[in-house]
Amino acid sequence: MIVWLASYPKSGNTLVRSMLSSYFFSKSGEYNQDLIKNIKQFPSIELFEDLGIDIKNENEILKNYIKAQESFNSKKSVQFIKTHSYLFNMYNKYPFTDLSNSLGVIYIVRDPRNVVTSFSKFASLSTEQISQVMINQLSSGGNLDAARGTPERTRVYTGTWSSNFQSWKSFKAQERYLLIKYEELVDNPEKNFLRILKFIHKLNKTNFILNQNKLNNVLKTTTFDYMKNLEKENGFIESKKNDNNGKPIPFFNLGPKNDWKKLLDKKIKIKLEKAFKKEMEE
């Protein structure tokens, strides 16, 4: 069964995956970049391709979302799966997932005023352009001419920042929903990671027994500075290249120092606060 790690892009999903992969997929709890490969991303156009689905037909892809998830669940164990999709039911006949495949969701949310500056750097676009994406754009990617394995090749229905956040709350009715605020995770990683671990064990109906040594190592090796230094030494598999000069864009750019109060143009700030007033107040 799948435990979704869902979020809008540039909202802290990588931090949560790094912590989980270090705790569950290593003996010591010490993070290294290979561990994060244990947590796959959905959707992935290569997954549909490998299942023999016509990837040039978007309806066929959407129609087979559930079938693709069943391939994960054939392992008969908890599967952590990352997604930036919103929880849609496309055309009222193509659901993103169902309760037969989903154990629950850990939803990571980040202040949109910080998302916009982080996303802007990552995408090599202005904050004005990214604010328009966050408010209006429903999908990204889908370039089948891009190299196999690159994120640009898969069409992802992110929804807007607000619809992404709102949609996953439907898991609340089944008590299968945990909201993690990126800012709180950074400020108090131990407290919030313990919340995540307890939630996972609750979903899986297993007793929670903490491995304190592993936890200590997770906390030491998943700080922003630690992972930024790893990227400097070895690169990072999820970084992308600048379209203008071909140079790698640092994935770990500012992290906690990405403070909208210091970096964000006032017009963009007001624009986002107006568009996402309801969700931000919540």
Side-chain angles (χ1 to χ4, degrees):
M1 292 284 280
I2 296 171
V3 175
W4 295 102
L5 309 177
S7 69
Y8 193 78
K10 306 306 292 181
S11 297
N13 204 306
T14 299
L15 175 57
V16 172
R17 286 182 293 132
S18 299
M19 298 176 86
L20 284 173
S21 60
S22 300
Y23 190 87
F24 285 106
F25 303 118
S26 75
K27 291 182 179 179
S28 66
E30 294 180 8
Y31 171 76
N32 69 68
Q33 291 190 5
D34 285 336
L35 292 172
I36 205 168
K37 296 175 184 177
N38 287 287
I39 300 179
K40 306 299 183 185
Q41 179 165 324
F42 188 88
S44 164
I45 200 67
E46 285 76 23
L47 175 60
F48 296 104
E49 200 168 24
D50 293 343
L51 290 171
I53 295 160
D54 180 7
I55 61 171
K56 293 182 180 179
N57 186 328
E58 188 65 16
N59 274 1
E60 282 298 303
I61 293 173
L62 289 167
K63 188 167 69 176
N64 283 283
Y65 264 42
I66 301 299
K67 178 182 177 181
Q69 290 169 31
E70 288 170 349
S71 71
F72 288 126
N73 285 325
S74 63
K75 296 178 182 178
K76 299 186 184 301
S77 61
V78 172
Q79 304 289 313
F80 300 117
I81 304 294
K82 165 196 171 180
T83 191
H84 287 317
S85 287
Y86 77 110
L87 191 61
F88 60 72
N89 189 347
M90 200 69 72
Y91 314 127
N92 292 317
K93 59 180 179 178
Y94 299 141
F96 175 82
T97 190
D98 58 24
L99 292 177
S100 297
N101 285 284
S102 300
L103 201 57
V105 60
I106 298 165
Y107 189 86
I108 308 110
V109 67
R110 186 182 192 182
D111 189 326
R113 295 167 296 189
N114 283 330
V115 170
V116 72
T117 48
S118 180
F119 203 167
S120 169
K121 177 71 175 179
F122 181 71
S124 300
L125 295 171
S126 69
T127 53
E128 170 61 34
Q129 289 171 304
I130 293 297
S131 68
Q132 286 297 111
V133 168
M134 292 172 66
I135 294 169
N136 298 307
Q137 188 167 300
L138 299 179
S139 69
S140 63
N143 177 13
L144 295 178
D145 293 327
R148 183 179 170 90
T150 56
E152 294 83 8
R153 201 160 177 254
T154 301
R155 180 171 297 282
V156 179
Y157 294 89
T158 59
T160 64
W161 183 88
S162 57
S163 64
N164 194 294
F165 169 73
Q166 293 288 359
S167 67
W168 285 96
K169 284 161 48 178
S170 62
F171 273 90
K172 276 180 144 182
Q174 288 79 30
E175 297 184 347
R176 300 187 189 187
Y177 176 91
L178 177 67
L179 180 68
I180 293 293
K181 298 179 184 178
Y182 170 77
E183 289 80 6
E184 291 181 356
L185 181 60
V186 170
D187 288 344
N188 195 333
E190 181 172 3
K191 176 184 175 182
N192 285 283
F193 189 54
L194 283 172
R195 288 179 61 219
I196 292 172
L197 292 178
K198 290 175 182 177
F199 176 71
I200 291 166
H201 282 274
K202 177 186 172 184
L203 287 178
N204 204 30
K205 298 180 180 177
T206 54
N207 292 328
F208 175 59
I209 301 173
L210 177 67
N211 185 321
Q212 188 64 52
N213 183 58
K214 266 193 168 185
L215 174 63
N216 292 342
N217 285 333
V218 169
L219 297 175
K220 286 177 186 175
T221 60
T222 56
T223 65
F224 178 80
D225 288 338
Y226 188 96
M227 293 197 288
K228 186 177 179 68
N229 286 332
L230 277 183
E231 182 183 20
K232 284 182 180 178
E233 293 173 8
N234 308 308
F236 185 62
I237 56 173
E238 295 181 15
S239 65
K240 59 182 290 188
K241 292 184 178 180
N242 188 304
D243 292 335
N244 297 320
N245 56 31
K247 293 181 179 180
I249 301 170
F251 189 92
F252 300 99
N253 182 38
L254 293 174
K257 295 178 182 177
N258 180 39
D259 185 353
W260 63 267
K261 295 174 186 175
K262 299 176 181 177
L263 301 174
L264 191 60
D265 182 274
K266 187 176 180 180
K267 290 181 181 177
I268 304 298
K269 167 188 171 294
I270 293 171
K271 181 179 181 179
L272 292 174
E273 289 175 345
K274 182 179 179 181
F276 305 137
K277 183 175 186 292
K278 178 182 175 183
E279 290 78 17
M280 291 177 71
E281 287 178 348
E282 182 183 336

